Amino acid sequence: MTSQPAEQRAAHKPTNPTPTPRHVGIIMDGNGRWAQNRGLPRLAGHRAGVDNIKRILESSVEFGVEVLSIYAFSTENWRRPPDEVTGLMRLLGLTIQRQLGDLNRNGVKIVHSGRLEGIEPSLQRQVRNALEVTKNNSRIVLNVAFNYGGRAEILDAMRRIMQEGIPPEAVTEELLSHYLYVADLPDPDLIIRTGGEWRLSNFLLWQAAYAEYYQTPTYWPDFNEDELRRALEAYAGRQRRFGGVVAQTINPGNSQSPATSVAQA
Ligand code: IPE
Ligand code: IPE
Ligand code: MG
């Protein structure tokens, strides 16, 4: 901490709308349309999208968000033209190569949600290394959903539970949560979708049971700190009842402390 007077520090800090969601999930959509509008190839949009992650990650830290989940590549995105898929895979590799050092120095703990099978072995190694290098960091958890599908996640969890011979009566919601790709993350409080669509596209199906949703037409590369603030303000104005009658501020799925409980499944 610096010895700056509080008012001066406050001038650099974004105003923090309260209550802050502990876990924010972002469906980073609209890269392709962002590029098309500029007469650029879709991959240029994906590159601009990756550049934006850093900016929003930093703002999230400043706003006091503890976990940021970003949807980067879905199990359905393999349906895209091969050139785009290859480009997206390369982009992940390049991003790890270029940004891992900075992310680590900034205290970011990277976790991965998704299937590593099906991804090139060298990229798998890069991902595993990024998790290993940053595993003791605690400033913010960056959960990268890559080759991720919510249905695949629940299926994979069920398969592991069955392989371990766990009896049906022992399979509870809590137990299943331990078998998700990243065990014991708090549930997302807020899911933001950029790019204007009103759908989940297979993102965090299990975890988002009681998440608040926020949608903006802004394409992901243009989604900035002001937009994030607006989303958090909208969240702060919501009444969460979790099936009850009166508003509650505590998400029952949020009882874990992410810095201590996050473990790669
Ligand atoms: C989202 O942007 C990023 C990924 C799915 C990888 P899109 O590529 O879906 O962009 P639009 O929806 O076509 O504009
Ligand atoms: C969702 O975007 C997946 C990611 C952002 C990675 P899509 O562009 O793939 O979603 P759909 O196809 O419009 O539902
Ligand atoms: Mg899209």
Side-chain angles (χ1 to χ4, degrees):
M1 265 290 124
T2 64
S3 55
Q4 274 178 320
E7 335 58 269
Q8 228 174 305
R9 280 203 305 274
H12 301 294
K13 276 209 132 209
T15 342
N16 192 349
T18 50
T20 305
R22 289 184 67 191
H23 181 173
V24 175
I26 306 187
I27 302 170
M28 309 183 291
D29 198 20
N31 293 347
R33 282 164 285 168
W34 181 92
Q36 271 155 10
N37 284 351
R38 285 165 175 73
L40 298 168
R42 292 178 58 85
L43 264 174
H46 295 314
R47 277 194 291 273
V50 167
D51 290 343
N52 197 36
I53 294 172
K54 217 170 145 193
R55 187 158 72 147
I56 293 303
L57 179 65
E58 271 307 310
S59 305
S60 299
V61 171
E62 302 235 321
F63 282 125
V65 172
E66 296 169 40
V67 182
L68 181 68
S69 289
I70 51 171
Y71 204 6
F73 190 89
S74 76
T75 44
E76 288 70 38
N77 287 147
W78 293 102
R79 293 179 188 149
R80 295 190 176 203
D83 281 0
E84 184 169 345
V85 171
T86 311
L88 284 164
M89 295 289 152
R90 280 207 192 120
L91 202 51
L92 176 68
L94 270 177
T95 308
I96 296 177
Q97 217 172 302
R98 288 181 186 156
Q99 294 192 12
L100 182 58
D102 267 355
L103 290 168
N104 188 33
R105 274 187 293 280
N106 286 324
V108 179
K109 173 173 182 160
I110 302 172
V111 296
H112 170 237
S113 286
R115 287 181 174 160
L116 278 180
E117 309 91 80
I119 295 177
E120 233 186 69
S122 63
L123 188 53
Q124 287 192 28
R125 278 195 295 279
Q126 276 184 288
V127 172
R128 286 204 181 88
N129 177 56
L131 308 186
E132 181 59 29
V133 166
T134 64
K135 70 178 181 200
N136 294 321
N137 292 342
S138 58
R139 197 155 158 252
I140 191 167
V141 174
L142 178 65
N143 177 26
V144 183
F146 192 89
N147 198 16
Y148 174 87
R151 288 188 172 183
E153 178 172 41
I154 297 168
L155 251 181
D156 287 353
M158 284 314 300
R159 285 181 180 149
R160 283 177 53 217
I161 288 169
M162 291 169 90
Q163 276 160 3
E164 290 182 18
I166 294 170
E169 60 277 14
V171 181
T172 58
E173 290 187 10
E174 205 195 352
L175 181 117
L176 199 138
S177 298
H178 289 298
Y179 282 81
L180 296 175
Y181 292 130
V182 183
D184 305 327
L185 275 185
D187 282 342
D189 301 291
L190 171 66
I191 301 223
I192 299 170
R193 181 165 189 143
T194 63
E197 316 290 355
W198 295 86
R199 55 177 173 256
L200 264 185
S201 302
N202 208 6
F203 188 47
L204 304 180
L205 294 186
W206 174 273
Q207 299 89 329
Y210 269 101
E212 296 295 322
Y213 289 97
Y214 180 89
Q215 184 270 130
T216 166
T218 303
Y219 297 139
W220 170 248
D222 290 331
F223 184 86
N224 58 19
E225 183 180 298
D226 280 345
E227 291 258 0
L228 179 63
R229 183 187 291 105
R230 273 200 283 282
L232 298 186
E233 277 164 1
Y235 170 84
R238 302 277 176 89
Q239 276 207 357
R240 305 182 77 189
R241 289 187 287 276
F242 301 103
V245 179
V246 291
Q248 290 172 33
T249 48
I250 306 297
N251 176 345
N254 257 354
S255 53
Q256 306 277 338
S257 158
T260 53
S261 64
V262 174
Q264 182 69 11

